[in-house]
Amino acid sequence: MDKSLLGTRVVTQIGILVNDIEAVSQAYADFLGVEKPAWSWTDPAEVARTEYNGQPAAGRAKLAFFDFGQLQIELIEPDEQPSIWRDYLNEHGEGPHHIAFVIDGMKEKITLLEKRGMPLAQKGVYTGGRYAYMDATRDLKLWIELLENDK
């Protein structure tokens, strides 16, 4: 029986905030000996239905992914609009931002984590699912991203 709060212990992603996705993705590609992935923009707010701190938000980001089986490294270069990414980058600089878990039951997991003192900060949808960033910085010293994929 899995006793973890999320129903899984499998970290599926490490998210890293960067100022220059081209330079950092090339550095990772060179370091890992792989091809540099193309980056893409997150969906616009009207498609992603992004909410940041409970309000509709226009913030977007360039994303580049390095896939390594179970684990994915996500590089994130936010635009200048307010978002969890932009505000964190402005305050803390480049570096690790979150670890992500694929879960089932998004609403229930958000409620469970909020009861544990990890409030919802940003949520939205992407092609094939939805995401939520939970503020676990007090206890876990980073953000937790919940990913729920459509079946």
Side-chain angles (χ1 to χ4, degrees), residues 117-131:
M118 299 176 194
L120 172 66
Q122 182 170 311
K123 68 178 182 173
V125 298
Y126 53 86
T127 302
R130 65 218 49 81
Y131 73 92

Side-chain angles (χ1 to χ4, degrees), residues 24-51:
V24 177
S25 60
Q26 187 62 61
Y28 267 91
D30 293 345
F31 178 78
L32 297 167
V34 298
E35 190 173 318
K36 182 176 89 169
W39 60 264
S40 61
W41 281 104
T42 56
D43 287 329
E46 60 272 12
V47 175
R49 301 194 306 267
T50 307
E51 291 182 19

